[in-house]
Amino acid sequence: MTLFEELQRRGLLAQLTNEEEIRDLINAGKATFYIGFDPTADSLHVGHFMALCLMKRLQMAGNKPIVLIGGGTAMIGDPSGKTDMRKMMTKETISHNVECFKKQMSRFIDFSEDKAIIVNNADWLLDLNYVDVLREVGACFSVNKMLTFECYKQRMERGLTFLEFNYMIMQSYDFYMLFQKYGCNMQFGGDDQWANMLGGTELIRKKLGKDAHAMTITLLLNSEGKKMGKTEKGAVWLDPAKTSPYDFYQYWRNVSDADVIKCLKMLTFVPVEQIEEMEKNMEGAQFNEAKSLLAYELTKLVHGEEEAAKADAAAKAIFAGGGDSADMPSTAVSAEDAPDGQIGILSLLVKCGLCKSNSEARQLVTQNGIAVDGEKFTDPKGLVNISEPVVIKKGKKIFHKAMLG
């Protein structure tokens, strides 16, 4: 099975230009490709995960990844799929976020011996002269054509700023620069980026001639990927300080039955033949086995095998009645807050981070949403004895240990 065939069987490829050339390049390990990441936070999140896995797959086959950090484009914001203008960030914040991204990406991509590179588009975008851009680049874009693209049509109904309108030109200019500076001959992106990516391909051909080769591929899951990693607690981050390895594991352990095979194919390195065999017999307990495999493999990839094993053991302690619960998320409550080892259930839920306020906790308790050591807890005025560790269950899937300490 060739790499291109594997990507197809895993459901990763959606739209392509020059399909035959793309297939030959990546199968031969001769593609120099880029994927862009806008540093809008100080950590990568689950929504970035598929792109990172794809880069790793291609690199393992000999292709060269270029990680493009959007330090320049982050100062404008991409209108694709958004209803509001992106909040403006300072240069200092963007620079900090860029450094955080670089550190996290090294867990996925091998940057040794020029096998991959990281570049920041701020290095060329921030020095551009506006008049020169209008003359050299602006003339290559048709406003009429740009307004036909869905990414702009959606925002036109609510209001599209001229600032955001320039995003396509800037992203296209990125590919143009990477093509010239690094021999980048391929770009990957989500299906919501298709118009921007075609703009880059067209710019290269108009500026450098029809013989200039530049190809694009979009990823099937990326529109769905934007929904991934969102929970009631917020985003699921790759930084363990923001999302613990256990919570990361639990996020994947709790994916829907309908998504588990898709996630295994797209996001793990489990052989596709093994996943397809599992898919034939998916019913009942097999779904839970598949979810455990998914959670373990992804936690191992992001946080290492040791943390994955700990999270797996904690999950088994909860769901299977065995294993070690020592690695379950826990909160130590001070003796001052729990006289004689007792604390009100509402205060306990807030201190454990399971609720944001007493009113939210009260509603959860009165609606039978809380259990303590396996017993429903429905009295909002009730006390919990934490002299010995107790396990709090919120809803069906969230577990937390509380103790005196």
Side-chain angles (χ1 to χ4, degrees):
M1 179 173 57
T2 66
L3 174 60
F4 188 83
E5 290 170 336
E6 181 178 1
L7 297 181
Q8 287 182 313
R9 286 171 67 174
R10 289 184 180 273
L12 284 165
L13 305 182
Q15 301 180 78
L16 302 87
T17 65
N18 310 79
E19 179 173 337
E20 185 176 346
E21 288 184 76
I22 290 171
R23 183 187 65 238
D24 292 344
L25 273 175
I26 64 175
N27 284 344
K30 294 182 179 179
T32 299
F33 68 97
Y34 97 89
I35 300 178
F37 300 81
D38 273 356
T40 53
D42 59 1
S43 172
L44 296 162
H45 54 70
V46 166
H48 295 119
F49 205 76
M50 189 179 62
L52 292 169
C53 291
L54 178 68
M55 297 184 96
K56 185 176 180 71
R57 291 185 209 280
L58 289 164
Q59 187 182 49
M60 290 169 63
N63 299 286
K64 181 175 180 177
I66 298 176
V67 176
L68 176 70
I69 305 293
T73 41
M75 299 186 71
I76 288 185
D78 179 5
S80 302
K82 299 177 177 66
T83 57
D84 298 302
M85 182 173 168
R86 178 182 288 170
K87 182 180 178 181
M88 300 288 277
M89 297 187 296
T90 65
K91 290 183 180 180
E92 291 74 19
T93 298
I94 293 172
S95 178
H96 171 72
N97 292 350
V98 166
E99 292 306 312
C100 292
F101 274 29
K102 288 180 179 179
K103 183 177 179 181
Q104 289 179 331
M105 285 176 175
S106 63
R107 289 194 63 90
F108 298 87
I109 310 301
D110 181 4
F111 292 101
S112 67
E113 300 175 352
D114 201 39
K115 294 175 184 174
I117 59 173
I118 295 180
V119 297
N120 186 341
N121 64 12
D123 293 342
W124 54 80
L125 291 180
L126 298 188
D127 291 332
L128 288 174
N129 179 285
Y130 185 62
V131 174
D132 288 343
V133 172
L134 290 177
R135 286 172 57 87
E136 297 180 20
V137 182
C140 298
F141 289 83
S142 163
V143 171
N144 289 352
K145 185 176 181 180
M146 291 171 72
L147 291 177
T148 66
F149 293 128
E150 196 62 32
C151 60
Y152 288 124
K153 287 168 66 176
Q154 291 177 359
R155 284 301 307 275
M156 285 289 287
E157 298 173 4
R158 304 175 183 89
L160 175 69
T161 68
F162 185 70
L163 181 75
E164 297 168 288
F165 188 67
N166 279 270
Y167 191 91
M168 180 185 291
I169 295 175
M170 295 181 73
Q171 183 172 329
S172 298
Y173 192 79
D174 284 342
F175 194 22
Y176 174 63
M177 290 297 293
L178 293 173
F179 181 87
Q180 294 181 92
K181 291 170 67 73
Y182 305 104
C184 182
N185 52 18
M186 196 176 298
Q187 57 180 333
F188 285 77
D191 56 5
D192 62 331
Q193 297 292 314
W194 185 241
N196 295 343
M197 295 167 68
L198 291 179
T201 299
E202 190 67 16
L203 178 61
I204 289 173
R205 290 174 178 167
K206 285 183 177 179
K207 295 295 293 182
L208 303 177
K210 293 182 179 180
D211 293 333
H213 287 286
M215 289 159 274
T216 58
I217 298 180
T218 64
L219 310 182
L220 179 62
L221 186 65
N222 267 25
S223 59
E224 299 176 43
K226 288 183 176 293
K227 304 172 188 175
M228 296 174 72
K230 297 294 184 182
T231 71
E232 60 184 23
K233 291 184 177 181
V236 177
W237 304 98
L238 305 193
D239 183 347
K242 297 169 88 65
T243 298
S244 71
Y246 176 83
D247 285 337
F248 185 85
Y249 178 100
Q250 285 300 112
Y251 171 77
W252 295 109
R253 178 63 180 76
N254 293 328
V255 299
S256 69
D257 291 353
D259 289 336
V260 62
I261 289 296
K262 179 168 60 179
C263 289
L264 277 168
K265 286 181 178 179
M266 292 182 166
L267 302 176
T268 76
F269 290 83
V270 176
V272 69
E273 297 89 349
Q274 179 182 337
I275 300 171
E276 290 171 343
E277 193 62 32
M278 292 171 61
E279 189 176 12
K280 295 176 184 177
N281 306 297
M282 289 297 286
E283 59 180 36
Q286 277 95 10
F287 280 108
N288 287 330
E289 292 175 10
K291 291 177 185 181
S292 293
L293 177 62
L294 173 69
Y296 182 83
E297 289 296 322
L298 295 187
T299 306
K300 180 175 69 172
L301 185 60
V302 175
H303 298 296
E305 192 162 6
E306 182 178 352
E307 292 296 338
K310 288 180 181 179
D312 186 59
K316 287 176 180 176
I318 295 168
F319 293 106
D324 183 5
S325 66
D327 296 297
M328 185 188 302
S330 61
T331 298
V333 180
S334 69
E336 182 180 352
D337 291 325
D340 300 321
Q342 307 235 1
I343 182 173
I345 183 64
L346 305 187
S347 297
L348 182 59
L349 292 174
V350 172
K351 288 187 180 297
C352 290
L354 296 173
C355 295
K356 295 179 181 178
S357 64
N358 280 359
S359 60
E360 180 185 327
R362 182 178 292 104
Q363 183 179 18
L364 195 62
V365 170
T366 56
Q367 292 179 352
N368 296 316
I370 293 295
V372 177
D373 281 343
E375 298 291 332
K376 283 291 184 181
F377 202 109
T378 58
D379 181 5
K381 296 182 179 180
L383 298 175
V384 180
N385 189 330
I386 57 171
S387 298
E388 296 293 331
V390 298
V391 174
I392 304 167
K393 181 181 179 182
K394 176 185 175 183
K396 295 182 179 180
K397 299 179 179 179
I398 298 176
F399 294 81
H400 197 96
K401 186 160 57 176
M403 66 205 75
L404 196 64

